Structure formats: C-alpha cells, structure tokens
Amino acid sequence: MSYQVLARKWRPRSFREMVGQTHVLKALINALDSQRLHHAYLFTGTRGVGKTTIARIIAKCLNCETGITSSPCGECSVCREIDEGRFVDLIEIDAASRTKVEDTRELLDNVQYAPSRGRFKVYLIDEVHMLSSHSFNALLKTLEEPPPYVKFILATTDPQKLPATILSRCLQFSLKNMTPERVVEHLTHVLTAENVPFEDDALWLLGRAADGSMRDAMSLTDQAIAFGEGKVLATDVRAMLGTLDHGQVYDVLHALIEGDAKALLEGVRHLAEQGPDWNGVLSEILNVLHRVAIAQALPEGVDNGQGDRDRVLALAQALPAEDVQFYYQMGLIGRRDLPLAPDPRGGFEMVLLRMLAFRPADTADAPRQPLKPVGISQATVDSANSVAAVPKPAAVVAAVVAPAPAPMAAPETAPAPAPEPAPVAPVAEPEPEPTPVVAEEVVDLPWNDPVESESEPEPEPEAEPAQQPAVEPMLETAAEQPELPPMPLPTPDSVVPDAPEWTAAPIPEPSVADVDAATSGMDMDDEPPLDEDYIEPDIDSAYSYLDELASEHAAEPAPEPEPEPAAAPATGLALQWLELFPKLPISGMTGSIAANCTLIAVDGDHWLMHLDPAHSALFNATQQRRLNDALNQFHGRTLTLTIELIKPEQETPAQAASRRRANRQQEAEESIHGDPFIQQMVQQFGAVVRHDTIEPVDALVTQG
C-alpha cells in the first residue's frame, strides 16, 4: 500500500476528532441532535482549518444508515464511502475551475433529481468566491428554496468577495486560526502515535511556521520527518525552515542587560552567519520586549505561544520596566530608520549600540562608559566664554591715536572690558569689529613709544571707558596726519558721566533679513559705508553726538546673531537641500525658516526636516504650510512635509551663506593687505587699514 501523508491520514472523521473550532461544532451538534437543519451553510476561514472536513462530517451525519445524528457510526457503507471520497450523493465542486454560468446551470439542472443512495444530496462548493457574478445570480433562487432533500455547503477563504444576497441565504460560520499551542498539542499526539522521535522546540517551530493552519503543520511535519531521517529535531527543523534561532534573540537581550558590548557584537556575528533579514530580527526583539512588558504588568497574562514563557518571565525579573519601554521605543525608531542605513547589518548594530549607550537617567543602570562630548554641545557650553573673549582684540584699537600706549595694556588688566568696542561700530560703521591685525599695524606707528609704555603705570579699569569716546572719532584724522602730535585727551572726570551709557550700546550684528535677501542669491551683504559718512567732529560737540547715538541704539531691538557654524558639512539629503533652497519661490519669514532647516529623510512623497530650535519663535503651522506649498509648486506634485524642532547636525542654507560671506571677507582682507600700494602707504605714511570698510567686490557688484 502506498504511503499516505499525515494530513490525509489524520483527517478527522467525526466531530469528536476535530481539533479546535468548538464554537462551530457546538452549534452544528445541537442542530443535528434537535433536527433543526438549515438548507445552506457557509464556512469561512484560512486554509487548512477544517472547512472541507466539517462539510464531509455533516454529509456523513445526514446520511448515516443509523439516522440523522451528530455521532455517525463510521462503519456503514455510507460512512465508508464518504471517507473514501466515492459517495455518489456528495457532490464536491471546485468553483475555481468552474466559474462560468453554464457550469452553474448544469449543476442546478441536477438539483431536481432525488438522491441515489443517501437521505440527502449534499453539494459542497469549495472556493465559492471564485464564481462569476452571473453564476451567483443563477444560484440565488435555488439556494434560497432548494428541494427538501438538498443541502448546500459553501466554503471560502475570502468571504468579502461574496455578494450580500448569498450571505443572507446561508448560516455563516467563521473558523478560527489554530494557535501554536493547539498545533503543538496535536502534533505531539500524532508523532507519538506514529512512533516518531521529536523535540518540543522543533514542534514549536513547526507550530509557528504553520501560521494558524493545521494542514500546513501536518505537511511541514511530513517534510521535517523526511529531512531528519525519521526524527523531528529542532536543529533540522530550523535549517529546513531557514528561521532564526530564538535563543540568539535572548542572548542579545542578556548582553544588553549586562552592558557587555563584546557579547552583543558576538551575538550579532552569530546571527549574521545565518544570513537573516535584519528587519525581521529587530521585529523578533520587539516581540520579546512586548511580552516582557506584559509579564511585568501581569505575569499570568504571558502566553506560551512560542514555548519560551519561562525565559520571558526571567527577563521580566532581570530587566527594569523603564528599560523595557526605552528599548522598545528605540527599536521601533531603529526599524523605521533601518532602510536609510548604508548596510542593514550596520544599521542593526547601531540600534543595539544605541540601546547599550543610553539608559534612563534616573536608574541605577547608568551607562558604564561616559560618552565623548559632541562638538555642538561643546560649542553651546563654551559660548559664554567665547563672547567674553571677543572684545579683547578689538580693545587694542583704542591705542591707535592715544598719546600714551597705556590703553593697550588696559584690556589685559581689566577683567571684563566687553562694552569697549561699541564706539567703533556706532560712530564709524555698524558692521564688523576690528580684527587683531589692526593691532599689529598700530604698534608700528611712529608716535607710539614702546619705552614710554613700559615706564608708565597701568591705568585703572574705570578710566578706560572715559578716554574711549574722545579717541574714537579721531581714527581717520590720525591716519591722514601722522606727523602731528596727538590731540590731548579730556580728563576722566569730564567724561565719566557720559561713558556708561555710551559703552552699553549693543553692537549691531547681521540679522535674519540677510538670509531672506539671500533667497535668490544668498550672497548679498549690507551697503558699504561711504567716505562722506566719516566726518571730523568738533571736540565740544562730540559728547552730545555720542549721547544721541547711544540713545538711538538703546531703543533699537537686539538683532539676530549670525548662525553658528555647522557641526558637519552638508552631505546627502542635506546637500540636496542646499541646492534646492535658492530655487524655491519663498521669502520673508518662510524663507528664514527654510534657511535654518536641513533635509533629514525622504520616504516617497513624505519629507522630514529638522529646524534649529533657536528659530522656533518664527515657526508655526502657517509657515510650514507655505513651505510645503512651495515644494509642491516646484516639484509639480503633492508632498507631505514634517518639520521637527531639532538642531541640525549638518550645514543649513543660512550657515552656508554665513560661511561664504566670511570666506569672501577673509579673501578681500588678504587681498588688501597684499596690495603693494597699500603696503607702501602703511610703511611710508603710517596708514591704518580699516577692516570695517573692506567688502568683497562681488557683493558690491550685486548691490549695484
């Protein structure tokens, strides 16, 4: 006798042998026992859950020679013929191969004839959803009012495709998927009866691989027996299915708990030997973390669907609840970003290393090794120190026309002369501060006596602001008449009352309007000052003029600072955003928002951008909508834009424009200092180069 596969050999022949589906069996058994029989039944469910088996058992119950019963004898000729598939009054029709209306009409023509041997003529139509609409219409009348000796049993895996008119004429029963526990229980019974050695872990692998289908589980078991030479072992089943060793997932989680980076990467290496889908591995880790969280909230609620309930409970005891939630959230985000990684394995390793590096701050399980400081964070911390250090080189300019070089030493002794460079900007030019190069040129002036500088005592810090206002208006005069002796300075007593207000004036800086103006070219600076703007004030009216200027600056709002340099140059999507930004039809506040953004991710028509939180006051839903409309107009399709308030790590358009302006300014200054005529003027006449009047030629051409 030829070998019969397990799925057919162990097909249930009565309701008592059925595995699961108790909600369906109870209704059918009660209907058969009470003789309340419907003329049409519809069984729905996935493949291999018992639809055809239940239909054959119903046919046996209706036609058994012992009478209509829920427990057919299985010994009479009718029962044997139905089990062997040769009962003449059980007509099984494959609707997938007989979809035409002509096939349905032929079937209905035979309905009028009484059964040949049995009590009822049973029509079993499998995959009924494959019938055409005309076939359904032809079947409607007969399905609603068939002859008393005809029963219709319909089976389908896709009930959504059935017309409502068919559904309303049938008793519908939805069969559930088989749980892994029930599959393992049945496989244990079958293999024990077949005298086949097996391992429990192997059966759990087969139960999960069956995906709710008992027939698939039996077929996989047949394959596993053949693969293992008569044995069902976990290693053989895992190799046959190509599935991941679930124990390796727990090894990775234990390495995370111990904070052992070496064991963590070693576990990844073992996983890589199987060539897994890293997204699937991350999903397995998330599934385990989900079950661990359930075990921590309700231990008795943990199922044993994967045969690892004890391991899950052990992890729930060893892993803090906040770490479970933190790892789960980080794994979700890592799974979302995994397609963006250059290498799937590298992206998976970075997710695990991120889990290892970061822990909730209020737990005792803090990171074992402190992280190195990031460049952006360090710049933020040191910003106060850098601001305090800015005025020091600018304060040297006060020694340009001073008769005694004492003011040159004042910045070194004064603890915080920060407001002193302010007169240069309000009186002469509201743009940049003088650079340290001027100090080197000033030292070589003929009327500065270094010997006298050493002999004179150092002045007190409060005397320095008093001398500054009277000296600054004479910068240009000193450059034009180097042979004249310096003008005597007023006494400190006469200047002190006005000095604090004047020195407290803020130094104007470039604002965000510069970036808005740069939407088209991104290279425009303010107009260069004209020579007529610098006049030689009368010494008597100098202080009144300075008072008016200080009051004007005090009333003006503080301008926006120049964007900080980026932590890293723009690459990838950030570089594409630098090229796209000047082409967008935006300006004003929307342009300022876009200039301080960088492109992070593009997923089809979904764009994600990061905006510097320093500009969050300008950001709202209206600005995001305008920027989104500009992108839609430029690309000619509808995009979905999301902006998050996170400091960009790569260069933004505003930072790029600031960097280019600084580079052009530096090149212009180097060009001026390298000019032979300028060098001759400095050497022969003691001229001073005013850096606040130097501006790149291309900027001048653009403004003109």
Side-chain angles (χ1 to χ4, degrees), residues 235-546:
T235 54
D236 294 337
V237 172
R238 191 174 292 112
M240 179 189 75
L241 298 176
T243 57
L244 179 67
D245 185 0
H246 214 62
Q248 294 179 346
V249 174
Y250 288 96
D251 293 341
V252 170
L253 291 176
H254 282 297
L256 279 177
I257 296 175
E258 298 296 331
D260 190 351
K262 181 178 179 181
L264 189 67
L265 295 179
E266 186 69 15
V268 175
R269 187 182 66 81
H270 287 304
L271 287 172
E273 292 176 356
Q274 304 179 22
D277 176 18
W278 295 106
N279 190 32
V281 177
L282 201 52
S283 299
E284 287 293 330
I285 293 178
L286 292 176
N287 288 333
V288 173
L289 290 173
H290 166 247
R291 300 177 66 210
V292 169
I294 294 178
Q296 290 175 342
L298 187 66
E300 58 271 18
V302 180
D303 65 276
N304 197 29
Q306 300 181 1
D308 56 353
R309 188 174 187 272
D310 295 336
R311 284 184 171 183
V312 172
L313 293 176
L315 270 179
Q317 294 292 333
L319 196 59
E322 55 270 19
D323 282 8
V324 174
Q325 300 296 331
F326 189 69
Y327 291 159
Y328 189 86
Q329 187 66 22
M330 195 170 293
L332 284 180
I333 297 175
R335 190 181 179 196
R336 180 196 66 186
D337 297 341
L338 198 60
L340 303 177
D343 176 60
R345 175 180 174 179
F348 177 76
E349 289 178 345
M350 282 301 299
V351 174
L352 296 182
L353 292 176
R354 198 176 302 131
M355 294 179 180
L356 185 65
F358 297 98
R359 299 281 179 86
D362 56 345
T363 63
D365 300 330
R368 283 169 165 72
Q369 295 182 356
L371 301 177
K372 294 182 179 180
V374 186
I376 297 178
S377 301
Q378 189 68 22
T380 305
V381 172
D382 296 339
S383 60
N385 298 334
S386 62
V387 171
V390 168
K392 189 170 183 178
V396 184
V397 184
V400 174
V401 292
M408 297 178 60
E412 301 178 1
T413 58
E420 294 178 7
V424 180
V427 177
E429 173 65 25
E431 263 306 304
E433 313 147 5
T435 60
V437 181
V438 179
E440 298 178 1
E441 299 169 355
V442 170
V443 173
D444 297 332
L445 291 176
W447 54 81
N448 284 333
D449 187 5
V451 178
E452 185 180 356
S453 173
E454 296 177 0
S455 61
E456 289 202 5
E458 297 179 355
E460 294 182 1
E462 57 270 17
E464 177 64 18
Q467 297 175 0
Q468 191 75 8
V471 175
E472 291 302 330
M474 306 303 299
L475 287 174
E476 187 175 358
T477 307
E480 296 174 356
Q481 302 176 2
E483 69 280 358
L484 297 178
M487 182 179 294
L489 295 175
T491 60
D493 297 335
S494 61
V495 185
V496 168
D498 299 332
E501 287 187 33
W502 177 73
T503 56
I507 302 175
E509 295 287 342
S511 63
V512 181
D514 296 335
V515 180
D516 295 337
T519 304
S520 57
M522 293 186 9
D523 292 330
M524 297 179 63
D525 294 324
D526 294 336
E527 286 259 348
L530 301 177
D531 292 339
E532 299 83 68
D533 295 339
Y534 302 99
I535 60 174
E536 182 178 352
D538 206 2
I539 192 65
D540 296 330
S541 60
Y543 299 122
S544 60
Y545 169 76
L546 293 174

Side-chain angles (χ1 to χ4, degrees), residues 62-396:
L62 294 174
N63 293 289
C64 182
E65 294 179 358
T66 60
I68 300 176
T69 176
S70 61
S71 302
C73 65
E75 301 295 335
C76 63
S77 60
V78 173
C79 292
R80 289 198 304 269
E81 289 177 6
I82 291 177
D83 290 338
E84 295 171 3
R86 55 186 181 87
F87 185 60
V88 67
D89 289 327
L90 176 60
I91 300 99
E92 296 191 19
I93 301 171
D94 180 19
S97 59
R98 304 186 65 180
T99 60
K100 296 181 180 180
V101 66
E102 292 81 4
D103 299 327
T104 304
R105 287 172 180 168
E106 180 183 352
L107 180 151
L108 298 177
D109 289 341
N110 296 325
V111 169
Q112 57 184 333
Y113 299 109
S116 302
R117 291 195 53 203
R119 195 175 293 109
F120 292 94
K121 181 182 288 187
V122 181
Y123 286 91
L124 173 56
I125 306 178
D126 200 7
E127 301 299 334
V128 67
H129 66 275
M130 299 295 292
L131 292 178
S132 64
S133 58
H134 295 291
S135 298
F136 281 126
N137 293 331
L139 188 63
L140 284 179
K141 187 61 179 177
T142 305
L143 189 62
E144 183 178 7
E145 298 178 355
Y149 49 80
V150 173
K151 301 295 180 185
F152 285 98
I153 302 179
L154 313 180
T156 178
T157 57
D158 195 358
Q160 288 80 10
K161 293 183 178 179
L162 295 180
T165 52
I166 295 292
L167 297 176
S168 65
R169 287 167 169 79
C170 303
L171 287 184
Q172 184 174 351
F173 296 94
S174 179
L175 278 67
K176 300 178 182 178
N177 288 3
M178 297 292 175
T179 61
E181 293 91 343
R182 195 175 297 277
V183 172
V184 171
E185 179 183 355
H186 186 61
L187 290 181
T188 302
H189 169 70
V190 170
L191 294 179
T192 302
E194 293 286 337
N195 294 322
V196 176
F198 63 89
E199 293 179 351
D200 290 339
D201 290 345
L203 298 188
W204 282 107
L205 289 172
L206 293 173
R208 289 194 296 270
D211 195 19
S213 172
M214 186 64 75
R215 183 176 60 225
D216 288 1
M218 302 294 284
S219 300
L220 289 174
T221 304
D222 259 329
Q223 184 180 354
I225 294 173
F227 188 88
E229 299 179 355
K231 299 179 181 179
V232 181
L233 304 179
T235 54
D236 294 337
V237 172
R238 191 174 292 112
M240 179 189 75
L241 298 176
T243 57
L244 179 67
D245 185 0
H246 214 62
Q248 294 179 346
V249 174
Y250 288 96
D251 293 341
V252 170
L253 291 176
H254 282 297
L256 279 177
I257 296 175
E258 298 296 331
D260 190 351
K262 181 178 179 181
L264 189 67
L265 295 179
E266 186 69 15
V268 175
R269 187 182 66 81
H270 287 304
L271 287 172
E273 292 176 356
Q274 304 179 22
D277 176 18
W278 295 106
N279 190 32
V281 177
L282 201 52
S283 299
E284 287 293 330
I285 293 178
L286 292 176
N287 288 333
V288 173
L289 290 173
H290 166 247
R291 300 177 66 210
V292 169
I294 294 178
Q296 290 175 342
L298 187 66
E300 58 271 18
V302 180
D303 65 276
N304 197 29
Q306 300 181 1
D308 56 353
R309 188 174 187 272
D310 295 336
R311 284 184 171 183
V312 172
L313 293 176
L315 270 179
Q317 294 292 333
L319 196 59
E322 55 270 19
D323 282 8
V324 174
Q325 300 296 331
F326 189 69
Y327 291 159
Y328 189 86
Q329 187 66 22
M330 195 170 293
L332 284 180
I333 297 175
R335 190 181 179 196
R336 180 196 66 186
D337 297 341
L338 198 60
L340 303 177
D343 176 60
R345 175 180 174 179
F348 177 76
E349 289 178 345
M350 282 301 299
V351 174
L352 296 182
L353 292 176
R354 198 176 302 131
M355 294 179 180
L356 185 65
F358 297 98
R359 299 281 179 86
D362 56 345
T363 63
D365 300 330
R368 283 169 165 72
Q369 295 182 356
L371 301 177
K372 294 182 179 180
V374 186
I376 297 178
S377 301
Q378 189 68 22
T380 305
V381 172
D382 296 339
S383 60
N385 298 334
S386 62
V387 171
V390 168
K392 189 170 183 178
V396 184

Side-chain angles (χ1 to χ4, degrees), residues 565-587:
T571 59
L573 294 175
L575 184 58
Q576 296 179 16
W577 176 246
L578 290 183
E579 299 173 355
L580 174 62
F581 169 75
K583 304 174 184 178
L584 297 178
I586 53 177
S587 61

